[in-house]
Amino acid sequence: MTIRLAIIGAGIMGSDHARIFTSEIPGGRVQVVCDASPERAAVLAGSVGAADVMTDPEAAIRRADVDAVVVASPDFTHAPLSLACIAAGKPVLCEKPLSQSSAECRQVTAAEMASGRRWVQLGFMRRYDQSYVEMKAALAQGRIGRALMMHNFHRNVETPAADFTGAMAITNSAPHEFDVVRHVLGTEYAAISAFQPQRSDARVAPVVMVLETTGGQLVTIEVNNNAAYGYDVRGELVGETGSVQMIAPGYSRLDAALTQSAVYDADWRGRYAEAYRRQNRDFLRFAATGEFPVIASDCWDGLAAATVAEAGVRALTESRRVAVELEAQPDFYAR
Ligand code: ISE
């Protein structure tokens, strides 16, 4: 069975998803590319052999020759387009975050619950990264004892847009850690504090967060959107009797001129290439069978991430520790 896909958004992530579905994994075909810019949509459609180009995302979602949808348009469109997919009864792989507003996430969870089944798989691809898979397994197998702390470093070369702010480090970048740490530890957050050192220029400075979990663990997250030297994600899960440290995958090391060196990716697409393939394979299976993937994030996870992010922005702007208040998970989202 070939799943016919609508790719909404022909920017960095829409293009990458279209390429993965077209040339890296079997089972899917890009039927239509939709973008506010018809020229940009046409370029992507041409490169992946899509049958059609559109500028109206809701019309693309409703097409009879579209079985499933990938939403990779700007963050503020994710929730409304997920709602449109639920209304049309089309499985959707929606890029993170589901929304920067927990209230808007709740509209999506409410619509999905009312529909009686899951439609939205959220693109928190880190859950599929082997490092986190192994951390979670080590914990489950009792190899490091009870989890005490998880340390995370998330560094980008530079901010993706000129209007990127310190708050967006928390609402756009850190949700990856909010989600994957919650997934690895299997716990919720109780409180968050956030701090920023001062840079010597006007660029967005790093944001350092300390989160307390409801299980009494501590989580540190450094997001540095202007690290300059490369895309660098590190992490360590510390238990009472051992620890698991992430080793960034590398395929070669250069030795020359009395020096040893390795290359950094410029952004997340290379570092998480295999995680994206695994995630997208799971999405095609979900679209074909209706069975929600075991690992993937869902709308509830999107709401959980948005709730922490909101508290994090308040912690940063008000320079205080803020409680994270997430209601009890409805049975509908139990795994
Ligand atoms: C971007 O939106 C992503 O999702 C990347 O994975 C992350 O590293 C980056 O900081 C975000 O802006």
Side-chain angles (χ1 to χ4, degrees):
M1 175 182 187
T2 299
I3 301 293
R4 298 163 298 175
L5 297 157
I7 304 280
I8 300 184
I12 295 180
M13 284 319 301
S15 303
D16 212 43
H17 284 301
R19 183 186 58 75
I20 292 168
F21 284 118
T22 306
S23 52
E24 297 206 353
I25 61 173
R29 179 173 85 221
V30 180
Q31 189 72 5
V32 54
V33 175
C34 179
D35 194 278
S37 154
E39 295 79 24
R40 198 159 77 147
V43 170
L44 178 57
S47 75
V48 296
D52 220 341
V53 165
M54 295 178 84
T55 53
D56 177 351
E58 309 226 349
I61 290 166
R62 285 193 303 266
R63 280 171 71 122
D65 62 352
V66 162
D67 304 309
V69 180
V70 176
V71 170
S73 37
D75 287 3
F76 71 90
T77 66
H78 293 179
L81 294 179
S82 293
L83 286 169
C85 290
I86 294 168
K90 303 272 171 90
V92 54
L93 174 62
C94 178
E95 263 303 324
K96 45 61 60 180
L98 179 57
S99 168
Q100 298 195 353
S101 140
S102 59
E104 198 176 35
C105 289
R106 274 187 204 95
Q107 288 175 19
V108 186
T109 53
E112 198 174 50
M113 285 191 278
S115 83
R117 59 154 281 189
R118 290 174 206 243
W119 299 102
V120 186
Q121 180 180 331
L122 204 52
F124 279 127
M125 79 298 182
R126 295 236 197 135
R127 289 184 176 210
Y128 288 89
D129 180 63
Q130 191 61 19
S131 307
Y132 295 110
V133 169
E134 290 177 17
M135 282 183 187
K136 193 167 170 60
L139 199 55
Q141 292 156 6
R143 298 176 67 193
I144 58 167
R146 181 183 164 272
L148 282 175
M149 296 178 284
M150 192 156 161
H151 302 295
N152 305 270
F153 300 85
H154 179 164
R155 298 182 184 154
N156 295 103
V157 174
E158 59 184 358
T159 46
D163 56 355
F164 202 88
T165 61
M168 285 168 75
I170 302 176
T171 58
N172 181 278
S173 301
H176 279 299
E177 277 80 15
F178 296 153
D179 180 71
V180 81
V181 169
R182 182 175 161 270
H183 170 69
V184 167
L185 296 180
T187 184
E188 298 296 347
Y189 299 108
I192 180 168
S193 308
F195 311 88
Q196 269 188 304
Q198 269 181 0
R199 279 189 68 111
S200 61
D201 55 24
R203 288 169 182 265
V204 174
V207 177
V208 177
M209 286 156 269
V210 179
L211 293 100
E212 299 154 57
T213 73
T214 51
Q217 295 126 336
L218 284 184
V219 176
T220 60
I221 304 175
E222 172 207 297
V223 174
N224 183 357
N225 292 111
N226 283 304
Y229 67 88
Y231 183 72
D232 187 11
V233 172
R234 305 180 201 170
E236 183 176 5
L237 170 62
V238 184
E240 288 179 358
T241 60
S243 105
V244 194
Q245 185 147 349
M246 179 183 296
I247 303 171
Y251 301 100
S252 64
R253 188 190 69 201
L254 181 74
D255 294 296
L258 305 178
T259 320
Q260 219 172 57
S261 59
V263 174
Y264 278 102
D265 285 306
D267 66 37
W268 55 91
R269 287 170 294 175
R271 167 66 182 83
Y272 290 108
E274 181 56 19
Y276 279 114
R277 281 191 286 269
R278 289 177 173 184
Q279 166 191 270
N280 291 13
R281 254 183 238 126
D282 253 7
F283 177 63
L284 291 179
R285 259 194 297 270
F286 169 45
T289 64
E291 272 170 52
F292 196 80
V294 177
I295 294 186
S297 301
D298 59 24
C299 288
W300 184 260
D301 300 310
L303 167 62
T307 305
V308 189
E310 278 175 346
V313 171
R314 278 186 23 234
L316 184 69
T317 51
E318 298 169 20
S319 299
R320 65 180 181 93
R321 173 182 177 274
V322 173
V324 177
E325 277 152 22
L326 180 66
E327 58 268 35
Q329 181 177 275
D331 290 345
F332 181 90
Y333 287 108
R335 303 275 189 115

PDB file of all heavy atoms in Angstrom, residues 166-197:
ATOM      1  N   GLY A 166      15.088  34.987  23.368  1.00  0.00           N
ATOM      2  CA  GLY A 166      15.409  34.058  24.454  1.00  0.00           C
ATOM      3  C   GLY A 166      14.193  33.212  24.807  1.00  0.00           C
ATOM      4  O   GLY A 166      14.308  32.021  25.095  1.00  0.00           O
ATOM      5  N   ALA A 167      13.007  33.841  24.750  1.00  0.00           N
ATOM      6  CA  ALA A 167      11.784  33.077  25.050  1.00  0.00           C
ATOM      7  C   ALA A 167      11.602  31.964  24.024  1.00  0.00           C
ATOM      8  O   ALA A 167      11.138  30.865  24.349  1.00  0.00           O
ATOM      9  CB  ALA A 167      10.581  34.012  25.045  1.00  0.00           C
ATOM     10  N   MET A 168      11.989  32.230  22.767  1.00  0.00           N
ATOM     11  CA  MET A 168      11.825  31.195  21.732  1.00  0.00           C
ATOM     12  C   MET A 168      12.813  30.043  21.912  1.00  0.00           C
ATOM     13  O   MET A 168      12.564  28.930  21.444  1.00  0.00           O
ATOM     14  CB  MET A 168      11.943  31.811  20.339  1.00  0.00           C
ATOM     15  CG  MET A 168      10.685  32.582  19.974  1.00  0.00           C
ATOM     16  SD  MET A 168      10.908  33.591  18.515  1.00  0.00           S
ATOM     17  CE  MET A 168      10.884  32.357  17.238  1.00  0.00           C
ATOM     18  N   ALA A 169      13.928  30.314  22.602  1.00  0.00           N
ATOM     19  CA  ALA A 169      14.826  29.198  22.943  1.00  0.00           C
ATOM     20  C   ALA A 169      14.033  28.195  23.775  1.00  0.00           C
ATOM     21  O   ALA A 169      14.232  26.983  23.692  1.00  0.00           O
ATOM     22  CB  ALA A 169      16.036  29.706  23.719  1.00  0.00           C
ATOM     23  N   ILE A 170      13.095  28.734  24.571  1.00  0.00           N
ATOM     24  CA  ILE A 170      12.282  27.872  25.439  1.00  0.00           C
ATOM     25  C   ILE A 170      11.064  27.305  24.704  1.00  0.00           C
ATOM     26  O   ILE A 170      10.680  26.169  24.924  1.00  0.00           O
ATOM     27  CB  ILE A 170      11.823  28.669  26.693  1.00  0.00           C
ATOM     28  CG1 ILE A 170      13.050  29.206  27.440  1.00  0.00           C
ATOM     29  CG2 ILE A 170      10.968  27.806  27.608  1.00  0.00           C
ATOM     30  CD1 ILE A 170      12.715  30.079  28.646  1.00  0.00           C
ATOM     31  N   THR A 171      10.464  28.094  23.797  1.00  0.00           N
ATOM     32  CA  THR A 171       9.227  27.619  23.148  1.00  0.00           C
ATOM     33  C   THR A 171       9.485  26.878  21.834  1.00  0.00           C
ATOM     34  O   THR A 171       8.640  26.107  21.388  1.00  0.00           O
ATOM     35  CB  THR A 171       8.277  28.800  22.848  1.00  0.00           C
ATOM     36  OG1 THR A 171       8.963  29.744  22.020  1.00  0.00           O
ATOM     37  CG2 THR A 171       7.824  29.487  24.115  1.00  0.00           C
ATOM     38  N   ASN A 172      10.629  27.120  21.197  1.00  0.00           N
ATOM     39  CA  ASN A 172      10.895  26.487  19.898  1.00  0.00           C
ATOM     40  C   ASN A 172      11.990  25.423  19.969  1.00  0.00           C
ATOM     41  O   ASN A 172      11.882  24.394  19.314  1.00  0.00           O
ATOM     42  CB  ASN A 172      11.282  27.565  18.877  1.00  0.00           C
ATOM     43  CG  ASN A 172      11.565  27.008  17.497  1.00  0.00           C
ATOM     44  OD1 ASN A 172      12.670  26.531  17.242  1.00  0.00           O
ATOM     45  ND2 ASN A 172      10.582  27.030  16.613  1.00  0.00           N
ATOM     46  N   SER A 173      13.042  25.649  20.747  1.00  0.00           N
ATOM     47  CA  SER A 173      14.158  24.686  20.791  1.00  0.00           C
ATOM     48  C   SER A 173      14.025  23.697  21.951  1.00  0.00           C
ATOM     49  O   SER A 173      14.062  22.480  21.750  1.00  0.00           O
ATOM     50  CB  SER A 173      15.499  25.434  20.909  1.00  0.00           C
ATOM     51  OG  SER A 173      15.677  26.303  19.819  1.00  0.00           O
ATOM     52  N   ALA A 174      13.865  24.226  23.164  1.00  0.00           N
ATOM     53  CA  ALA A 174      13.838  23.356  24.352  1.00  0.00           C
ATOM     54  C   ALA A 174      12.703  22.332  24.377  1.00  0.00           C
ATOM     55  O   ALA A 174      12.834  21.309  25.060  1.00  0.00           O
ATOM     56  CB  ALA A 174      13.805  24.194  25.629  1.00  0.00           C
ATOM     57  N   PRO A 175      11.564  22.542  23.655  1.00  0.00           N
ATOM     58  CA  PRO A 175      10.538  21.490  23.687  1.00  0.00           C
ATOM     59  C   PRO A 175      11.081  20.109  23.324  1.00  0.00           C
ATOM     60  O   PRO A 175      10.576  19.081  23.795  1.00  0.00           O
ATOM     61  CB  PRO A 175       9.495  21.989  22.681  1.00  0.00           C
ATOM     62  CG  PRO A 175       9.572  23.485  22.833  1.00  0.00           C
ATOM     63  CD  PRO A 175      11.054  23.767  23.006  1.00  0.00           C
ATOM     64  N   HIS A 176      12.143  20.046  22.504  1.00  0.00           N
ATOM     65  CA  HIS A 176      12.748  18.734  22.217  1.00  0.00           C
ATOM     66  C   HIS A 176      13.181  18.069  23.520  1.00  0.00           C
ATOM     67  O   HIS A 176      12.911  16.888  23.750  1.00  0.00           O
ATOM     68  CB  HIS A 176      13.986  18.901  21.325  1.00  0.00           C
ATOM     69  CG  HIS A 176      13.670  19.062  19.873  1.00  0.00           C
ATOM     70  ND1 HIS A 176      13.017  18.109  19.140  1.00  0.00           N
ATOM     71  CD2 HIS A 176      13.940  20.078  19.019  1.00  0.00           C
ATOM     72  CE1 HIS A 176      12.892  18.520  17.891  1.00  0.00           C
ATOM     73  NE2 HIS A 176      13.427  19.716  17.790  1.00  0.00           N
ATOM     74  N   GLU A 177      13.881  18.846  24.357  1.00  0.00           N
ATOM     75  CA  GLU A 177      14.336  18.255  25.628  1.00  0.00           C
ATOM     76  C   GLU A 177      13.160  18.024  26.568  1.00  0.00           C
ATOM     77  O   GLU A 177      13.098  16.987  27.229  1.00  0.00           O
ATOM     78  CB  GLU A 177      15.378  19.166  26.306  1.00  0.00           C
ATOM     79  CG  GLU A 177      16.797  18.994  25.802  1.00  0.00           C
ATOM     80  CD  GLU A 177      17.069  19.703  24.496  1.00  0.00           C
ATOM     81  OE1 GLU A 177      16.251  20.575  24.106  1.00  0.00           O
ATOM     82  OE2 GLU A 177      18.095  19.403  23.845  1.00  0.00           O
ATOM     83  N   PHE A 178      12.233  19.010  26.628  1.00  0.00           N
ATOM     84  CA  PHE A 178      11.078  18.817  27.523  1.00  0.00           C
ATOM     85  C   PHE A 178      10.412  17.478  27.203  1.00  0.00           C
ATOM     86  O   PHE A 178      10.026  16.723  28.090  1.00  0.00           O
ATOM     87  CB  PHE A 178      10.039  19.936  27.338  1.00  0.00           C
ATOM     88  CG  PHE A 178      10.523  21.321  27.706  1.00  0.00           C
ATOM     89  CD1 PHE A 178       9.971  22.450  27.098  1.00  0.00           C
ATOM     90  CD2 PHE A 178      11.512  21.500  28.658  1.00  0.00           C
ATOM     91  CE1 PHE A 178      10.403  23.722  27.437  1.00  0.00           C
ATOM     92  CE2 PHE A 178      11.955  22.777  29.007  1.00  0.00           C
ATOM     93  CZ  PHE A 178      11.391  23.889  28.392  1.00  0.00           C
ATOM     94  N   ASP A 179      10.264  17.191  25.905  1.00  0.00           N
ATOM     95  CA  ASP A 179       9.562  15.966  25.512  1.00  0.00           C
ATOM     96  C   ASP A 179      10.409  14.721  25.750  1.00  0.00           C
ATOM     97  O   ASP A 179       9.952  13.752  26.353  1.00  0.00           O
ATOM     98  CB  ASP A 179       9.152  16.026  24.038  1.00  0.00           C
ATOM     99  CG  ASP A 179       8.414  14.757  23.637  1.00  0.00           C
ATOM    100  OD1 ASP A 179       7.262  14.572  24.085  1.00  0.00           O
ATOM    101  OD2 ASP A 179       9.005  13.914  22.920  1.00  0.00           O
ATOM    102  N   VAL A 180      11.655  14.752  25.271  1.00  0.00           N
ATOM    103  CA  VAL A 180      12.415  13.496  25.308  1.00  0.00           C
ATOM    104  C   VAL A 180      12.821  13.125  26.733  1.00  0.00           C
ATOM    105  O   VAL A 180      12.857  11.946  27.093  1.00  0.00           O
ATOM    106  CB  VAL A 180      13.616  13.548  24.324  1.00  0.00           C
ATOM    107  CG1 VAL A 180      14.825  14.275  24.889  1.00  0.00           C
ATOM    108  CG2 VAL A 180      13.990  12.141  23.889  1.00  0.00           C
ATOM    109  N   VAL A 181      13.081  14.117  27.583  1.00  0.00           N
ATOM    110  CA  VAL A 181      13.451  13.814  28.970  1.00  0.00           C
ATOM    111  C   VAL A 181      12.242  13.207  29.700  1.00  0.00           C
ATOM    112  O   VAL A 181      12.357  12.213  30.421  1.00  0.00           O
ATOM    113  CB  VAL A 181      13.950  15.093  29.691  1.00  0.00           C
ATOM    114  CG1 VAL A 181      14.088  14.853  31.185  1.00  0.00           C
ATOM    115  CG2 VAL A 181      15.273  15.562  29.082  1.00  0.00           C
ATOM    116  N   ARG A 182      11.093  13.812  29.473  1.00  0.00           N
ATOM    117  CA  ARG A 182       9.842  13.300  30.077  1.00  0.00           C
ATOM    118  C   ARG A 182       9.597  11.861  29.616  1.00  0.00           C
ATOM    119  O   ARG A 182       9.177  10.998  30.390  1.00  0.00           O
ATOM    120  CB  ARG A 182       8.728  14.250  29.626  1.00  0.00           C
ATOM    121  CG  ARG A 182       7.368  13.980  30.138  1.00  0.00           C
ATOM    122  CD  ARG A 182       6.414  15.086  29.700  1.00  0.00           C
ATOM    123  NE  ARG A 182       5.051  14.612  29.794  1.00  0.00           N
ATOM    124  CZ  ARG A 182       4.404  13.996  28.797  1.00  0.00           C
ATOM    125  NH1 ARG A 182       4.985  13.828  27.620  1.00  0.00           N
ATOM    126  NH2 ARG A 182       3.180  13.566  28.984  1.00  0.00           N
ATOM    127  N   HIS A 183       9.901  11.600  28.330  1.00  0.00           N
ATOM    128  CA  HIS A 183       9.734  10.259  27.753  1.00  0.00           C
ATOM    129  C   HIS A 183      10.733   9.278  28.369  1.00  0.00           C
ATOM    130  O   HIS A 183      10.364   8.165  28.760  1.00  0.00           O
ATOM    131  CB  HIS A 183       9.931  10.371  26.234  1.00  0.00           C
ATOM    132  CG  HIS A 183      10.020   9.086  25.511  1.00  0.00           C
ATOM    133  ND1 HIS A 183       8.952   8.225  25.364  1.00  0.00           N
ATOM    134  CD2 HIS A 183      11.067   8.497  24.852  1.00  0.00           C
ATOM    135  CE1 HIS A 183       9.333   7.174  24.660  1.00  0.00           C
ATOM    136  NE2 HIS A 183      10.604   7.310  24.341  1.00  0.00           N
ATOM    137  N   VAL A 184      11.998   9.684  28.467  1.00  0.00           N
ATOM    138  CA  VAL A 184      13.034   8.783  28.997  1.00  0.00           C
ATOM    139  C   VAL A 184      12.777   8.497  30.477  1.00  0.00           C
ATOM    140  O   VAL A 184      12.824   7.348  30.923  1.00  0.00           O
ATOM    141  CB  VAL A 184      14.456   9.394  28.793  1.00  0.00           C
ATOM    142  CG1 VAL A 184      15.500   8.633  29.603  1.00  0.00           C
ATOM    143  CG2 VAL A 184      14.834   9.389  27.310  1.00  0.00           C
ATOM    144  N   LEU A 185      12.476   9.538  31.244  1.00  0.00           N
ATOM    145  CA  LEU A 185      12.296   9.352  32.692  1.00  0.00           C
ATOM    146  C   LEU A 185      10.922   8.788  33.038  1.00  0.00           C
ATOM    147  O   LEU A 185      10.728   8.242  34.124  1.00  0.00           O
ATOM    148  CB  LEU A 185      12.485  10.681  33.435  1.00  0.00           C
ATOM    149  CG  LEU A 185      13.878  11.322  33.375  1.00  0.00           C
ATOM    150  CD1 LEU A 185      13.874  12.638  34.160  1.00  0.00           C
ATOM    151  CD2 LEU A 185      14.949  10.393  33.935  1.00  0.00           C
ATOM    152  N   GLY A 186       9.959   8.969  32.146  1.00  0.00           N
ATOM    153  CA  GLY A 186       8.599   8.498  32.425  1.00  0.00           C
ATOM    154  C   GLY A 186       7.975   9.253  33.588  1.00  0.00           C
ATOM    155  O   GLY A 186       7.318   8.668  34.449  1.00  0.00           O
ATOM    156  N   THR A 187       8.206  10.569  33.612  1.00  0.00           N
ATOM    157  CA  THR A 187       7.677  11.363  34.721  1.00  0.00           C
ATOM    158  C   THR A 187       7.216  12.719  34.216  1.00  0.00           C
ATOM    159  O   THR A 187       7.472  13.076  33.066  1.00  0.00           O
ATOM    160  CB  THR A 187       8.769  11.536  35.807  1.00  0.00           C
ATOM    161  OG1 THR A 187       8.225  12.216  36.919  1.00  0.00           O
ATOM    162  CG2 THR A 187       9.953  12.329  35.301  1.00  0.00           C
ATOM    163  N   GLU A 188       6.527  13.472  35.067  1.00  0.00           N
ATOM    164  CA  GLU A 188       6.100  14.824  34.695  1.00  0.00           C
ATOM    165  C   GLU A 188       6.973  15.837  35.432  1.00  0.00           C
ATOM    166  O   GLU A 188       7.700  15.495  36.350  1.00  0.00           O
ATOM    167  CB  GLU A 188       4.622  15.035  35.066  1.00  0.00           C
ATOM    168  CG  GLU A 188       3.642  14.112  34.351  1.00  0.00           C
ATOM    169  CD  GLU A 188       3.599  14.310  32.840  1.00  0.00           C
ATOM    170  OE1 GLU A 188       4.133  15.316  32.338  1.00  0.00           O
ATOM    171  OE2 GLU A 188       3.035  13.431  32.151  1.00  0.00           O
ATOM    172  N   TYR A 189       6.861  17.110  34.992  1.00  0.00           N
ATOM    173  CA  TYR A 189       7.638  18.163  35.642  1.00  0.00           C
ATOM    174  C   TYR A 189       6.808  18.823  36.742  1.00  0.00           C
ATOM    175  O   TYR A 189       5.588  18.977  36.609  1.00  0.00           O
ATOM    176  CB  TYR A 189       8.047  19.220  34.619  1.00  0.00           C
ATOM    177  CG  TYR A 189       8.910  18.647  33.513  1.00  0.00           C
ATOM    178  CD1 TYR A 189       8.409  18.490  32.222  1.00  0.00           C
ATOM    179  CD2 TYR A 189      10.215  18.242  33.778  1.00  0.00           C
ATOM    180  CE1 TYR A 189       9.191  17.952  31.217  1.00  0.00           C
ATOM    181  CE2 TYR A 189      11.003  17.693  32.768  1.00  0.00           C
ATOM    182  CZ  TYR A 189      10.476  17.546  31.497  1.00  0.00           C
ATOM    183  OH  TYR A 189      11.256  17.005  30.512  1.00  0.00           O
ATOM    184  N   ALA A 190       7.510  19.254  37.798  1.00  0.00           N
ATOM    185  CA  ALA A 190       6.838  19.961  38.905  1.00  0.00           C
ATOM    186  C   ALA A 190       7.124  21.459  38.856  1.00  0.00           C
ATOM    187  O   ALA A 190       6.268  22.266  39.183  1.00  0.00           O
ATOM    188  CB  ALA A 190       7.308  19.394  40.238  1.00  0.00           C
ATOM    189  N   ALA A 191       8.348  21.837  38.450  1.00  0.00           N
ATOM    190  CA  ALA A 191       8.700  23.262  38.459  1.00  0.00           C
ATOM    191  C   ALA A 191       9.877  23.509  37.523  1.00  0.00           C
ATOM    192  O   ALA A 191      10.622  22.584  37.187  1.00  0.00           O
ATOM    193  CB  ALA A 191       9.073  23.694  39.871  1.00  0.00           C
ATOM    194  N   ILE A 192      10.007  24.776  37.121  1.00  0.00           N
ATOM    195  CA  ILE A 192      11.108  25.147  36.227  1.00  0.00           C
ATOM    196  C   ILE A 192      11.674  26.508  36.646  1.00  0.00           C
ATOM    197  O   ILE A 192      10.924  27.403  37.046  1.00  0.00           O
ATOM    198  CB  ILE A 192      10.634  25.156  34.744  1.00  0.00           C
ATOM    199  CG1 ILE A 192      11.784  25.532  33.799  1.00  0.00           C
ATOM    200  CG2 ILE A 192       9.438  26.084  34.513  1.00  0.00           C
ATOM    201  CD1 ILE A 192      11.468  25.284  32.315  1.00  0.00           C
ATOM    202  N   SER A 193      12.992  26.631  36.548  1.00  0.00           N
ATOM    203  CA  SER A 193      13.672  27.916  36.742  1.00  0.00           C
ATOM    204  C   SER A 193      14.512  28.132  35.497  1.00  0.00           C
ATOM    205  O   SER A 193      14.944  27.164  34.860  1.00  0.00           O
ATOM    206  CB  SER A 193      14.598  27.885  37.957  1.00  0.00           C
ATOM    207  OG  SER A 193      13.894  27.416  39.085  1.00  0.00           O
ATOM    208  N   ALA A 194      14.738  29.397  35.120  1.00  0.00           N
ATOM    209  CA  ALA A 194      15.496  29.665  33.888  1.00  0.00           C
ATOM    210  C   ALA A 194      16.401  30.879  34.076  1.00  0.00           C
ATOM    211  O   ALA A 194      16.018  31.861  34.719  1.00  0.00           O
ATOM    212  CB  ALA A 194      14.523  29.905  32.731  1.00  0.00           C
ATOM    213  N   PHE A 195      17.604  30.784  33.510  1.00  0.00           N
ATOM    214  CA  PHE A 195      18.608  31.832  33.693  1.00  0.00           C
ATOM    215  C   PHE A 195      19.309  32.101  32.361  1.00  0.00           C
ATOM    216  O   PHE A 195      19.349  31.234  31.497  1.00  0.00           O
ATOM    217  CB  PHE A 195      19.676  31.368  34.700  1.00  0.00           C
ATOM    218  CG  PHE A 195      19.095  30.791  35.958  1.00  0.00           C
ATOM    219  CD1 PHE A 195      18.776  29.428  36.042  1.00  0.00           C
ATOM    220  CD2 PHE A 195      18.840  31.595  37.052  1.00  0.00           C
ATOM    221  CE1 PHE A 195      18.222  28.883  37.195  1.00  0.00           C
ATOM    222  CE2 PHE A 195      18.287  31.056  38.213  1.00  0.00           C
ATOM    223  CZ  PHE A 195      17.981  29.708  38.292  1.00  0.00           C
ATOM    224  N   GLN A 196      19.894  33.294  32.245  1.00  0.00           N
ATOM    225  CA  GLN A 196      20.660  33.632  31.036  1.00  0.00           C
ATOM    226  C   GLN A 196      21.942  34.356  31.418  1.00  0.00           C
ATOM    227  O   GLN A 196      21.888  35.339  32.161  1.00  0.00           O
ATOM    228  CB  GLN A 196      19.845  34.570  30.134  1.00  0.00           C
ATOM    229  CG  GLN A 196      18.993  33.863  29.106  1.00  0.00           C
ATOM    230  CD  GLN A 196      18.367  34.821  28.129  1.00  0.00           C
ATOM    231  OE1 GLN A 196      17.677  35.754  28.530  1.00  0.00           O
ATOM    232  NE2 GLN A 196      18.597  34.597  26.844  1.00  0.00           N
ATOM    233  N   PRO A 197      23.070  33.905  30.884  1.00  0.00           N
ATOM    234  CA  PRO A 197      24.294  34.701  31.065  1.00  0.00           C
ATOM    235  C   PRO A 197      24.244  35.882  30.089  1.00  0.00           C
ATOM    236  O   PRO A 197      23.410  35.886  29.181  1.00  0.00           O
ATOM    237  CB  PRO A 197      25.403  33.725  30.665  1.00  0.00           C
ATOM    238  CG  PRO A 197      24.755  32.832  29.663  1.00  0.00           C
ATOM    239  CD  PRO A 197      23.304  32.725  30.054  1.00  0.00           C
TER     240      PRO A 197
END
